[in-house]
Amino acid sequence: MVLSVCVGSSCHLKGSYDVIETFKKLIESKGVGDKIELRACFCLGRCSDGVAVKADGNYILGVNGANAEEKFVNEVLPLLG
């Protein structure tokens, strides 16, 4: 799975760096590094929806430093099957 975190201007200001750092740690701690490729990307076109994340075509919106772990566990991991 490709997990893309927007680092465009709006998402950067809303904390995309913190989201990426949290996702890196979770990918390692959950042992899914062989299943998830984490990428930074520019504008996903969802600027008003907080930090936007795209996981193989599925948008995960409103991600921030405070809820990144919850979003990863509840919305990213289930996509792995």
Side-chain angles (χ1 to χ4, degrees):
M1 165 193 306
V2 175
L3 185 61
S4 301
V5 179
C6 180
V7 294
S9 299
S10 179
C11 288
H12 171 73
L13 292 172
K14 293 176 183 172
S16 59
Y17 178 78
D18 293 335
V19 172
I20 289 171
E21 289 303 307
T22 299
F23 283 1
K24 280 183 188 176
K25 291 174 185 169
L26 289 166
I27 288 168
E28 184 178 329
S29 71
K30 302 289 184 188
V32 292
D34 60 331
K35 297 178 183 177
I36 297 176
E37 179 183 342
L38 183 61
R39 294 183 183 171
C41 67
F42 287 100
C43 195
L44 291 172
R46 306 301 297 257
C47 302
S48 64
D49 297 317
V51 176
V53 176
K54 194 171 184 181
D56 279 350
N58 299 290
Y59 285 99
I60 301 167
L61 305 172
V63 186
N64 58 50
N67 70 10
E69 182 171 358
E70 176 187 350
K71 295 273 190 177
F72 186 87
V73 170
N74 294 331
E75 298 187 46
V76 175
L77 289 180
L79 296 172
L80 294 176

